[in-house]
Amino acid sequence: MTITLPPPRLPALDPARLTPEQKAIHDAIAAGPRGRVQGPLAIWLHSPGLAENAQRLGAFCRFGTSLEPRLSELAILVTGRVWSAQFEWSVHKPIALKAGLSEAVVDAIRDRRTPPFEKTDERVVHDFARTLHIDHKVPQALYDEAVAVLGVTQVVDLVGILGYYTLISMTINAFNVPLEGDQVPELE
């Protein structure tokens, strides 16, 4: 099956034509741990105030939370899948696999099946993320389990990751952010 993506809604900004404010934000993003300005971050440059604040929050959510990368990448994949955000999925799937998520778990999330978790913390992050995204609330028993397994700080950081990557996913879908290079869409 071939998935056809709609054309992008905004052209890529030419770095040579950025305003001083846009250039400062562009350069800050490129000099940080991301190493480049791509996807939704490039879209946000059309609104420098949003770009500056969102990229700072994103740097924390991606690189600075109390969750280990395996769990934060799991939360990002769940969010990307809920929103069917192709760009997000294509960027974070290899990162999640490298961080230690199993291919079986990643494939199950992609296919909207219950993943075959071997680790309790992964199941809890998945269930918490999916439940919050789908039901827009978390039942007390799941909340209590998340706090028992992860601790309060990690649960707070998890909700921050889910919120930030919802913004990312909304940006991707609203502006039809294209995949990079020869990447192929995987989400139906």
Side-chain angles (χ1 to χ4, degrees):
M1 169 193 50
T2 302
I3 300 168
T4 303
L5 298 179
R9 290 190 166 140
L10 287 177
L13 291 174
D14 178 355
R17 294 181 165 211
L18 297 176
T19 67
E21 190 178 17
Q22 289 171 319
K23 180 155 179 34
I25 296 160
H26 177 279
D27 292 351
I29 294 169
R34 293 179 187 97
R36 61 190 175 138
V37 180
Q38 65 175 352
L41 293 148
I43 296 293
W44 294 342
L45 283 177
H46 289 272
S47 173
L50 175 63
E52 180 178 19
N53 289 293
Q55 77 88 13
R56 281 195 349 249
L57 175 60
F60 172 77
C61 287
R62 172 95 185 272
F63 304 106
T65 73
S66 60
L67 289 163
E68 63 179 274
R70 173 180 56 89
L71 298 177
S72 61
E73 290 300 325
L74 172 59
I76 294 165
L77 287 184
V78 170
T79 303
R81 184 62 191 116
V82 165
W83 283 90
S84 294
Q86 299 283 358
F87 181 91
E88 199 60 36
W89 185 267
S90 70
V91 167
H92 284 276
K93 176 184 172 182
I95 297 169
L97 291 168
K98 185 176 179 182
L101 278 182
S102 75
E103 209 162 307
V105 166
V106 172
D107 289 348
I109 293 168
R110 180 198 61 218
D111 298 339
R112 299 184 193 259
R113 293 182 285 112
T114 301
F117 292 113
E118 295 179 10
K119 298 176 181 173
T120 301
D121 58 354
E122 290 178 6
R123 181 190 52 76
V124 168
V125 166
H126 172 272
D127 292 355
F128 190 99
R130 198 156 155 66
T131 299
L132 186 54
H133 279 307
I134 302 300
D135 297 341
H136 305 166
K137 57 187 170 190
V138 177
Q140 190 65 46
L142 179 55
Y143 173 83
D144 292 343
E145 182 181 25
V147 169
V149 171
L150 303 171
V152 170
T153 301
Q154 287 189 8
V155 171
V156 171
D157 284 351
L158 174 59
V159 172
I161 290 167
L162 299 175
Y164 175 74
Y165 281 93
T166 294
L167 172 60
I168 287 275
S169 296
M170 291 173 81
T171 302
I172 289 165
N173 290 350
F175 297 100
N176 298 336
V177 173
L179 299 181
E180 294 195 324
D182 61 354
Q183 293 177 321
V184 177
E186 290 187 37
L187 307 178
E188 289 184 48

